[in-house]
């Protein structure tokens, strides 16, 4: 018999129909007449109830059907008298594909802590929580591709191995085939990369932006969506060493249109989750965060605040004057800490904020310089519960100004001639942003730790699984 997915079976009302379902046992309970098996196959957070009559199945047959076992059930779809479900399956035949020894199976009881589940990341997708998070993760990826496709953007693939440090923060993982125990050196003691695979020093990319700009300078509107790597040694609930980033880049737009795009795009993604992930969101709302769905609706229904960095710092300094305590200082020129961002968003405005016009010293070299010569046209989006979710900017399209900044920062440019060529040939105003995919997922799922919104997180001292 052809398998029916549980999601579909639960919506079916053809009572009396023969049906086959397959999945993993969540629990089995019963009495001396009947056994009830809760079965889940990942297609939905909901389980289907299998009713096994002890007239048809002996205790011996049933004893292999323990939590975690994989089974295939042939039976009859019947209307359920039980609460919270419309249908169940009266089992005729059960085949056990794989048993799960109750003595050792690590997912025995309900309500394991998220910390414990992180240690068994190979099995945690089988829990309700991670099933919900991972289905939402898939849905957000679909929302992102759909949004850009429908708005005329082209999906542009940028390399993962690169010789340039886009953000200039020196947080790159090196890529090499050299023998690390016997490194060839130049006469002055430097490592000689001439015999390395690429003939020069290379690393995993921290951003696809620089190549994305090349795409936008030809196709007009592009976006990237791929893995990104940062060797920042920050053990925070908001940083990963390997994360996914979405980076649209658009020719011929200014700051205002960039901010409009950021807001429209984020609202589209959150609306998609509200529309298409109802069961999973309801579960996360009930289990972890009673204000989750309300917060998602809030973002969809409010206009984001537009605020310059300077205005933001003034508000924060005013708050400090009135007795607000922060861990980190907040002077003009400092990078805002997450606590500052969250104060503005959660306490002061109670709305998402798009912060613009940052001091150039705290931003990357490629951002467009303002008339004041001090600030650049960055456009970061700050979200409740998250802080920075998007980092964006208008790009400096003027060759001389860009070169001056590169010189000032002493950025080694010999590997960046191709980037500068965009400013020499047909340079045009353009802008773009980067959305951290897992930051979006933190917001949409209400999870507290970024390690819980990616199947197999990479962070300092951890590359298990
Ligand atoms: O602000 P960032 O560093 O900006 C860029 O990389 C630009 N090149 C983007 C662009 O304009 N095309 O990173 C962008 C976003 C951040 O706002 C944050 O959401 C996420 O990427 N992010 C991280 N997410 C998880 N772990 C990390 N270590 C992250 N670092 C940045
Ligand atoms: Mg940033």
């Amino acid at each position: 018999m052809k398998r029916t997915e549980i999601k579909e079976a639960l919506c079916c009302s053809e009572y009396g129909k023969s049906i086959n379902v397959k999945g993993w046992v969540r629990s089995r309970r019963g009495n001396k007449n009947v056994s009830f098996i809760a079965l889940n196959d990942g297609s939905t957070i909901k389980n289907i109830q299998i009713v096994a009559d002890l007239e048809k199945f002996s205790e011996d047959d049933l004893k292999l059907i323990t939590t975690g076992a994989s089974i295939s059930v042939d039976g009859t779809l019947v209307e359920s008298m039980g609460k919270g479900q419309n249908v169940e399956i009266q089992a005729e035949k059960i085949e056990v594909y794989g048993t799960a020894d109750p003595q050792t199976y690590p997912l025995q009881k309900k309500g394991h802590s998220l910390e414990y589940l992180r240690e068994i990341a190979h099995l945690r997708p089988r829990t309700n929580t991670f099933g919900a998070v991972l289905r939402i993760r898939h849905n957000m990826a679909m929302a992102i591709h759909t949004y850009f496709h429908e708005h005329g953007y082209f999906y542009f693939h940028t390399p993962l191995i690169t010789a340039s440090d886009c953000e200039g923060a020196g947080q790159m993982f090196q890529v090499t085939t050299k023998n690390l125990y016997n490194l060839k050196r130049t006469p002055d003691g430097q490592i000689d990369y001439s015999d390395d695979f690429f003939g020069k020093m290379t690393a995993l990319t921290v951003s696809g932006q620089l190549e994305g700009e090349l795409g936008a300078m030809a196709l007009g509107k592009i976006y990237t969506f791929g893995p990104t790597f940062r060797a920042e040694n920050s053990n925070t609930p908001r940083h990963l060493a390997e994360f996914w980033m979405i980076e649209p880049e658009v020719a011929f737009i200014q700051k205002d249109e960039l901010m409009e795009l950021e807001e429209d795009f984020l609202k589209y993604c959150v609306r998609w989750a509200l529309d298409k992930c109802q069961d999973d969101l309801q579960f996360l709302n009930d289990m972890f965060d009673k204000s989750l769905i309300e917060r998602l609706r809030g973002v969809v229904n409010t206009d984001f605040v537009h605020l310059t960095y300077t205005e933001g710092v003034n508000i924060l300094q005013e708050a400090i004057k009135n007795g607000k305590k922060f861990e980190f200082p907040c002077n003009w020129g400092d990078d805002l800490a997450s606590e500052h961002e969250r104060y503005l968003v959660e306490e002061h405005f109670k709305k998402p904020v798009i912060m613009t016009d940052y001091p150039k010293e705290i931003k990357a070299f490629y951002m467009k310089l303002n008339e004041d010569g001090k600030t650049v046209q960055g456009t970061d989006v700050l979200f409740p519960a998250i802080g920075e979710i998007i980092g964006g900017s208008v790009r400096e399209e003027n060759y001389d100004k860009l070169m001056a900044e590169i010189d000032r920062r002493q950025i080694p440019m010999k590997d960046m001639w191709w980037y500068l060529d965009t400013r020499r040939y047909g340079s045009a105003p353009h802008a773009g942003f980067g959305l951290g995919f897992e930051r979006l997922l933190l917001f949409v799922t209400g999870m507290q730790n970024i390690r819980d919104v990616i199947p197999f997180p990479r962070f300092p001292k951890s590359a298990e699984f």
Side-chain angles (χ1 to χ4, degrees):
M1 212 185 316
K2 190 167 170 282
R3 171 188 170 213
T4 302
E5 289 188 16
I6 289 173
K7 183 181 181 178
E8 201 186 312
L10 287 170
C11 302
C12 183
S13 54
E14 291 171 58
Y15 306 127
K17 178 183 153 168
S18 292
I19 192 168
N20 170 271
V21 293
K22 303 181 198 297
W24 293 270
V25 174
R26 283 296 170 83
S27 64
R28 182 167 68 84
R29 61 189 173 80
N31 51 40
K32 47 187 189 326
N33 302 321
V34 65
S35 218
F36 298 104
I37 301 161
L39 194 68
N40 189 283
D41 69 358
S43 60
T44 163
I45 193 158
K46 293 178 180 156
N47 302 328
I48 198 160
Q49 175 157 284
I50 312 293
V51 184
D53 243 306
L54 289 180
E55 281 173 6
K56 290 185 198 131
F57 301 93
S58 69
E59 267 300 340
D60 265 2
D61 293 338
L62 291 175
K63 76 170 189 288
L64 297 179
I65 302 175
T66 56
T67 299
S70 172
I71 62 173
S72 172
V73 180
D74 289 343
T76 311
L77 193 76
V78 296
E79 194 168 5
S80 175
M81 298 299 137
K83 222 170 109 241
Q85 64 207 3
N86 297 324
V87 298
E88 59 192 27
I89 294 174
Q90 199 74 54
E92 303 293 341
K93 194 178 135 216
I94 302 179
E95 182 184 348
V96 178
Y97 285 141
T99 56
D101 179 0
Q103 301 305 316
T104 59
Y105 184 58
L107 280 176
Q108 280 309 330
K109 60 177 172 42
K110 289 188 177 154
H112 289 301
S113 74
L114 293 169
E115 288 76 14
Y116 171 71
L117 291 175
R118 244 170 257 150
E119 291 165 17
I120 51 163
H122 58 308
L123 294 171
R124 68 180 182 169
R126 294 193 196 176
T127 62
N128 280 333
T129 300
F130 285 89
V133 166
L134 295 174
R135 278 183 296 270
I136 293 172
R137 189 177 165 105
H138 160 79
N139 268 279
M140 288 298 89
M142 289 297 119
I144 288 160
H145 284 300
T146 308
Y147 179 89
F148 287 122
H149 180 68
E150 285 181 350
H151 288 78
Y153 288 69
F154 299 104
Y155 183 21
F156 191 70
H157 292 106
T158 52
L160 298 190
I161 300 175
T162 172
S164 51
D165 181 358
C166 172
E167 295 305 302
Q171 298 170 325
M172 302 181 85
F173 290 101
Q174 277 195 50
V175 173
T176 180
T177 52
K178 279 174 80 91
N179 177 353
L180 297 180
Y181 298 98
N182 184 17
L183 288 172
K184 190 173 157 195
R185 305 247 170 202
T186 57
D188 58 350
Q190 301 290 310
I191 293 169
D192 183 353
Y193 288 95
S194 63
D195 65 340
D196 202 352
F197 190 91
F198 296 105
K200 58 171 143 185
M201 182 155 106
T202 53
L204 296 176
T205 188
V206 297
S207 161
Q209 177 194 324
L210 301 184
E211 293 91 349
E213 287 185 49
L214 313 183
M217 287 296 110
L219 300 167
K221 292 193 284 195
I222 63 93
Y223 71 104
T224 71
F225 188 167
T228 312
F229 308 88
R230 297 207 182 167
E232 46 193 339
N233 201 1
S234 37
N235 256 308
T236 82
R238 269 182 294 278
H239 290 86
L240 288 167
E242 176 181 295
F243 63 101
W244 288 65
M245 185 150 53
I246 296 95
E247 296 186 275
E249 193 69 35
V250 190
F252 313 122
I253 64 166
Q254 314 277 347
K255 193 171 74 181
D256 287 350
E257 291 158 286
L258 176 63
M259 291 196 282
E260 231 170 79
L261 171 65
E262 291 175 343
E263 179 167 345
D264 189 53
F265 167 66
L266 283 170
K267 285 179 170 171
Y268 181 93
C269 293
V270 175
R271 209 178 296 121
W272 182 294
L274 285 166
D275 288 349
K276 302 199 202 287
C277 307
Q278 287 169 5
D279 291 344
D280 290 323
L281 282 180
Q282 194 63 54
F283 172 82
L284 295 171
N285 190 87
D286 295 345
M287 289 298 291
F288 293 103
D289 182 349
K290 300 272 186 292
S291 54
L292 172 62
I293 292 177
E294 197 183 300
R295 198 160 58 244
L296 300 188
R297 291 209 184 101
V299 160
V300 169
N301 296 324
T302 29
D303 293 333
F304 294 7
V305 174
H306 293 185
L307 184 78
T308 66
Y309 168 90
T310 303
E311 290 164 343
V313 168
N314 288 341
I315 292 170
L316 289 163
Q317 288 181 344
E318 192 62 31
I320 292 167
K321 233 186 271 163
N322 294 329
K324 176 78 196 170
K325 294 266 179 290
F326 292 112
E327 190 184 336
F328 295 99
C330 174
N331 299 307
W332 199 95
D334 294 343
D335 217 347
L336 295 188
S338 176
E339 56 174 348
H340 301 134
E341 296 171 342
R342 294 186 59 175
Y343 173 82
L344 292 170
V345 173
E346 289 163 27
E347 296 181 46
H348 189 83
F349 290 108
K350 301 190 167 62
K351 282 175 182 202
V353 169
I354 307 185
M355 183 169 276
T356 62
D357 303 292
Y358 290 81
K360 68 176 178 186
E361 308 297 342
I362 60 171
K363 289 294 185 188
F365 75 95
Y366 50 70
M367 293 194 187
K368 187 178 174 72
L369 191 64
N370 279 317
E371 298 281 310
D372 63 11
K374 286 194 308 204
T375 59
V376 289
Q377 296 188 11
T379 57
D380 289 2
V381 182
L382 315 180
F383 251 35
I386 307 296
E388 179 188 332
I389 191 163
I390 273 181
S393 77
V394 180
R395 318 306 187 191
E396 183 55 76
E397 85 268 21
N398 180 285
Y399 181 87
D400 293 329
K401 288 189 189 166
L402 186 62
M403 255 337 264
E405 192 55 26
I406 285 169
D407 277 345
R408 199 178 67 83
R409 293 179 189 235
Q410 301 180 317
I411 298 174
M413 268 292 129
K414 74 174 178 5
D415 291 325
M416 298 275 272
W417 58 273
W418 46 271
Y419 182 70
L420 288 163
D421 264 8
T422 54
R423 273 63 171 178
R424 292 186 352 141
Y425 305 117
S427 187
H430 63 289
F433 67 78
L435 166 71
F437 189 48
E438 287 76 18
R439 299 261 176 107
L440 173 68
L441 284 166
L442 275 180
F443 180 71
V444 170
T445 62
M447 300 302 280
Q448 299 289 310
N449 193 315
I450 200 162
R451 298 170 189 178
D452 295 333
V453 296
I454 185 166
F456 307 108
R458 295 290 178 257
F459 52 92
K461 301 281 178 286
S462 176
E464 195 68 50
F465 312 108

